[in-house]
């Protein structure tokens, strides 16, 4: 069920409405935010879907652009921006004006039709499309404080994102294969605090030591005080005789 209904006028608040939907959906889940353009499925009754969504919402965010109050359609009974707001009031839904940009002024009762004059008495929020990240966070924080269900929805949305299923397939691996979640620390071949040569792969290791090749050799490292004698059968000269 949607909790937040985004009310806007095409041509005056489209961009801000889209930003609200995207930002709040990312935080609370897409199913909690209603915006007519994306929330009404093809083949559904537009008027019925709009009014039902308003009635079942907890908050209606009315996007107010620079020319919102001067639009003559706001005084027509069949104007959907007007109808949605009046339906929210009739259903006990909280209505919050969201001023678009930094220069849009707060609503004045003298500029509004009598049925909507109460909008001028309501504390508003602000959303600047050119720098919306901080504004979206503040709007979301406000909604969480005033609609507890959104706090639970936020926890569920963040929890679901961290609990997605993982399905991996590894064919004929050579070496170590690790699949893990929430890994903290080292993964792989880790050598710490060593004080000598370390071998972690294939082949010989020669580090600061002599290398020999040929038939054989005797290597003595350190002091030798008694001599060393070896006899290995016949010498090369004796073999030739």
């Amino acid at each position: 069920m949607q909790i937040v209904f985004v009310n806007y006028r095409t041509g005056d608040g489209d961009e801000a409405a889209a930003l609200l939907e995207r930002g709040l959906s990312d935080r609370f889940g897409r199913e909690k935010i209603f915006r007519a353009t994306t929330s009404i499925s093809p083949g559904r009754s537009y008027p019925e879907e709009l009014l039902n969504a308003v009635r079942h919402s907890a908050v209606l965010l009315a996007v107010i652009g620079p020319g919102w109050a001067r639009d003559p359609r706001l005084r027509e009974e069949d104007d959907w921006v007007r109808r949605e707001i009046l339906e929210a009031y009739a259903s006990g839904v909280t209505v919050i004006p969201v001023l678009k940009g930094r220069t849009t002024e707060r609503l004045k009762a003298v500029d509004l039709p009598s049925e909507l004059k109460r909008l001028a008495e309501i504390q508003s929020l602000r959303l600047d499309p050119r720098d919306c990240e901080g504004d979206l966070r503040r709007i979301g924080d406000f909604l969480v404080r005033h609609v507890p269900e959104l706090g639970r929805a936020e926890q569920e949305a963040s929890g679901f994102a961290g609990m997605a299923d993982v399905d991996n397939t590894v064919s004929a691996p050579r070496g170590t294969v690790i699949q893990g979640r929430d890994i903290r620390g080292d993964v792989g071949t880790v050598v710490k605090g060593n004080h000598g040569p370390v071998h972690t792969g294939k082949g010989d290791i020669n580090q600061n030591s002599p290398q020999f090749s040929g038939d054989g050799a005797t290597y003595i490292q350190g002091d030798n005080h008694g001599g060393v004698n070896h006899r290995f059968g016949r010498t090369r000269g004796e073999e030739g005789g």
Side-chain angles (χ1 to χ4, degrees):
M1 182 187 74
Q2 290 93 0
I3 299 176
V4 179
F5 186 103
V6 181
N7 167 273
Y8 67 100
R9 185 176 298 285
T10 302
D12 184 65
D14 310 59
E15 181 183 7
L19 288 172
L20 275 173
E21 180 195 16
R22 185 177 64 208
L24 298 179
S25 294
D26 289 344
R27 181 166 177 176
F28 304 117
R30 184 176 180 181
E31 71 282 358
K32 302 300 182 184
I33 313 301
F34 183 96
R35 185 168 74 97
T37 303
T38 57
S39 298
I40 299 179
S41 302
R44 305 291 295 179
S45 171
Y46 196 83
E48 182 180 352
E49 291 287 315
L50 281 176
L51 295 178
N52 282 337
V54 172
R55 292 166 186 152
H56 292 91
S57 295
V59 176
L60 182 144
L61 299 179
V63 178
I64 310 296
W68 192 87
R70 297 190 302 271
D71 195 309
R73 290 172 292 181
L74 198 60
R75 289 151 179 84
E76 299 174 1
E77 292 187 2
D78 60 350
D79 177 53
W80 273 109
V81 171
R82 170 192 172 110
R83 289 185 63 181
E84 290 167 7
I85 295 174
L86 293 179
E87 187 65 35
Y89 280 134
S91 303
V93 176
T94 301
V95 177
I96 303 174
V98 178
L99 306 181
K100 175 187 174 183
R102 296 299 171 198
T103 59
T104 300
E105 297 181 354
R106 288 181 51 132
L107 295 172
K108 300 176 181 178
V110 68
D111 297 329
L112 301 172
S114 58
E115 299 87 351
L116 297 175
K117 286 186 181 296
R118 70 177 82 180
L119 286 173
E121 303 170 355
I122 300 174
Q123 182 68 288
S124 58
L125 297 169
R126 191 174 292 275
L127 176 62
D128 186 353
R130 295 173 299 178
D131 185 21
C132 64
E133 184 175 346
D135 290 338
L136 285 171
R137 183 175 61 254
R138 283 186 286 273
I139 293 172
D141 292 344
F142 173 85
L143 292 173
V144 167
R145 290 194 300 271
H146 289 79
V147 185
E149 188 175 347
L150 283 176
R152 294 189 292 270
E154 180 178 21
Q155 293 178 351
E156 292 174 0
S158 60
F160 180 78
M163 295 174 60
D165 294 333
V166 177
D167 185 6
N168 292 336
T169 301
V170 181
S171 300
R174 295 184 178 181
T176 302
V177 178
I178 298 176
Q179 176 177 306
R181 178 180 179 272
D182 297 336
I183 297 174
R184 293 177 175 82
D186 302 309
V187 176
T189 301
V190 180
V191 180
K192 294 183 178 180
N194 60 297
H195 298 283
V198 177
H199 196 308
T200 61
K202 296 181 178 180
D204 300 327
I205 178 170
N206 298 289
Q207 183 173 343
N208 299 323
S209 60
Q211 300 182 40
F212 303 96
S213 62
D215 294 333
T218 299
Y219 171 72
I220 299 173
Q221 183 174 2
D223 297 334
N224 174 33
H225 301 287
V228 177
N229 298 304
H230 291 285
R231 181 175 180 81
F232 302 96
R234 292 184 300 172
T235 65
R236 289 182 179 271
E238 294 172 337
E239 292 176 357

